[in-house]
């Protein structure tokens, strides 16, 4: 049995474990949250290194990629340096592949309702943490607002083009990536707080709310009637929370396993464990091949 462990700097309240079979191979998939305690998480990486087939790195990323430019997080370097034996993925290896499949599936679902993505208004909470999703929304014809300055820095300034995202990234990410990651993204108990509605104008205007679910949830209003959420990790409790707010469709780029969709870091680690190659030899083509053979499908739920 393959063992996959996601060590996350997020809240332990979102921990989950399951056994699932992919291509005839059983995989034990677990997620352990360390509540923003980086030293404790690093000790866990060291303790489990070589005892699990692959690590997922949650609650932090090794880098952000905007177009062809990579911005490495200084804080994440400590994690990458400690892992010597097990394979490791932070989600960056498969995010783009999965989000494109999710958008294609959403377009098919919308077509059944006589709708299309083209012309829909979208709010992408942060473009830089899932740039491929941001670009894919634009490519699909969505009128997209990028909320990086609002959701990460609290500044009431929407960005309305990918060019604007590139300019903002070039100016701010060389500085932000040297700061503690929790300044950029909520970690630990911050993820458990009840939503505090903010940027309501942009939520209300949007047909699609896209991005990391923790970011979407943090500021979402009580009324989400008729809207679509395009995201990653959601628990059964998250789904009910969205249902109660009247959300129409929930789309996650990863499948739901025993009531929960795991993050892309977990799924990348799982695929790495299944691919019979050294970690540094695994290519995008390898990922695409195994994604299609499984197949690893997005999850679409009509909630209301």
């Amino acid at each position: 049995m393959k063992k996959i462990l996601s060590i996350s700097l997020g809240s332990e309240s979102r921990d989950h474990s399951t056994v699932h079979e992919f291509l005839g191979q059983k995989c034990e998939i677990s997620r352990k949250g360390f509540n923003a305690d980086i030293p404790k998480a690093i000790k866990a990486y060291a303790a489990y290194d070589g005892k699990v087939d692959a690590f997922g790195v949650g609650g932090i990323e090794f880098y952000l990629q905007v177009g062809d430019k990579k911005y490495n997080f200084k804080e994440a370097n400590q994690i990458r340096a400690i892992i010597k034996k097990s394979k490791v993925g932070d989600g960056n290896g498969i995010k783009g592949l999965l989000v494109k499949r999710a958008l294609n599936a959403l377009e098919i679902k919308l077509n059944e309702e006589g709708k299309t993505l083209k012309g829909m208004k979208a709010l992408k909470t942060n473009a830089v943490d899932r740039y491929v999703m941001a670009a894919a929304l634009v490519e699909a014809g969505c009128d997209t607002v990028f909320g990086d300055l609002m959701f990460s820095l609290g500044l009431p300034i929407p960005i309305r083009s990918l060019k604007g995202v590139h300019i903002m990234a070039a100016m701010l990410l060389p500085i932000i990536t040297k700061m503690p990651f929790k300044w950029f993204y909520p970690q630990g108990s911050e993820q458990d707080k009840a939503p505090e509605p903010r940027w309501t104008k942009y939520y209300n205007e949007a047909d699609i709310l896209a991005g990391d679910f923790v970011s979407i949830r943090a500021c979402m209003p009580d009324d989400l009637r008729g809207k679509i959420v395009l995201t990653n990790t959601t628990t059964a409790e998250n789904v009910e929370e969205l249902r109660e707010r009247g959300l129409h469709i929930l789309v996650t780029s990863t499948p739901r396993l025993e009531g929960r969709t795991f993050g892309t870091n977990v799924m990348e680690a799982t695929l790495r464990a299944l691919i019979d190659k050294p970690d540094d030899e695994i290519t995008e083509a390898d990922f695409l091949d195994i994604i299609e053979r499984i197949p690893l499908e997005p999850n679409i739920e009509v909630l209301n």
Side-chain angles (χ1 to χ4, degrees), residues 61 79 129 160 173 236 269:
E61 297 181 59
I79 294 172
D129 76 334
R160 297 186 180 275
L173 288 186

Side-chain angles (χ1 to χ4, degrees), residues 11-46:
S11 169
E12 63 182 348
S13 70
R14 297 173 70 83
D15 285 359
H16 188 67
S17 184
T18 187
V19 175
H20 196 79
E21 187 172 301
F22 297 101
L23 300 175
Q25 174 69 64
K26 285 188 176 181
C27 297
E28 181 183 81
I29 305 171
S30 302
R31 186 262 193 197
K32 293 180 181 292
F34 284 84
N35 301 306
D37 190 333
I38 289 182
K40 190 174 180 181
I42 288 175
K43 286 181 180 178
Y45 280 113

Side-chain angles (χ1 to χ4, degrees), residues 31-282:
R31 186 262 193 197
K32 293 180 181 292
F34 284 84
N35 301 306
D37 190 333
I38 289 182
K40 190 174 180 181
I42 288 175
K43 286 181 180 178
Y45 280 113
Y48 285 100
D49 190 24
K51 297 177 182 177
V52 298
D53 293 281
F55 286 116
V57 177
I60 193 168
E61 297 181 59
F62 293 139
Y63 63 87
L64 297 175
Q65 183 160 353
V66 180
D68 296 328
K69 179 69 173 176
K70 287 185 180 180
Y71 301 88
N72 294 286
F73 277 101
K74 180 181 179 181
E75 204 169 41
N77 290 340
Q78 304 171 63
I79 294 172
R80 192 66 190 88
I82 205 71
I83 301 169
K84 306 293 187 183
K85 301 174 183 176
S86 299
K87 294 181 176 182
V88 59
D90 67 345
N92 273 306
I94 63 170
K95 277 181 184 178
L97 300 174
L98 295 185
V99 76
K100 289 175 182 176
R101 293 169 71 88
L103 276 172
N104 287 338
L106 175 57
E107 177 68 14
I108 292 169
K109 183 64 180 176
L110 289 172
N111 291 168
E112 294 173 0
E113 299 181 353
K115 303 174 185 175
T116 180
L117 285 166
K118 189 173 183 179
M120 281 192 168
K121 292 183 179 295
L123 171 63
K124 176 72 173 70
T125 52
N126 279 283
V128 298
D129 76 334
R130 280 169 176 76
Y131 180 80
V132 175
M133 180 186 286
L137 286 166
V138 172
E139 185 178 347
C142 296
D143 179 5
T144 309
V145 169
F146 306 107
D148 298 69
L149 297 175
M150 296 186 285
F151 287 85
S152 291
L153 300 179
L155 301 175
I157 305 171
I159 301 172
R160 297 186 180 275
S161 69
L162 290 176
K163 181 179 179 181
V165 170
H166 281 259
I167 293 170
M168 178 274 301
M171 291 176 60
L172 297 180
L173 288 186
I175 300 169
I176 289 174
T177 50
K178 291 180 174 61
M179 305 297 180
F181 192 80
K182 64 183 178 181
W183 292 9
F184 175 76
Y185 179 81
Q187 295 178 334
S189 60
E190 290 293 315
Q191 297 181 353
D192 296 327
K193 289 182 177 179
E196 297 180 4
R198 199 177 183 192
W199 317 121
T200 307
K201 172 180 183 290
Y202 301 100
Y203 276 92
N204 289 343
E205 289 177 350
D207 302 302
I208 301 170
L209 307 173
D212 179 86
F213 186 71
V214 171
S215 296
I216 293 173
R217 181 183 179 275
C219 302
M220 69 182 182
D222 293 336
D223 187 359
L224 296 176
R225 282 177 295 178
K227 298 188 184 300
I228 298 165
V229 163
L230 172 63
T231 189
N232 52 328
T233 312
T234 54
T235 64
E237 290 78 12
N238 296 149
V239 175
E240 288 310 305
E241 192 174 27
L242 293 170
R243 194 190 310 276
E244 290 170 3
R245 282 169 161 75
L247 188 78
H248 177 33
I249 297 175
L250 171 62
V251 184
T252 54
S253 58
T254 54
R256 191 166 296 283
L257 306 177
E258 293 187 8
R260 177 196 177 92
T261 55
F262 281 99
T264 47
N265 75 86
V266 183
M267 299 316 299
E268 180 183 338
T270 302
L271 297 183
R272 287 183 178 277
L274 291 169
I275 295 171
D276 187 21
K277 277 187 176 183
D279 216 15
D280 59 0
E281 293 181 14
I282 295 173

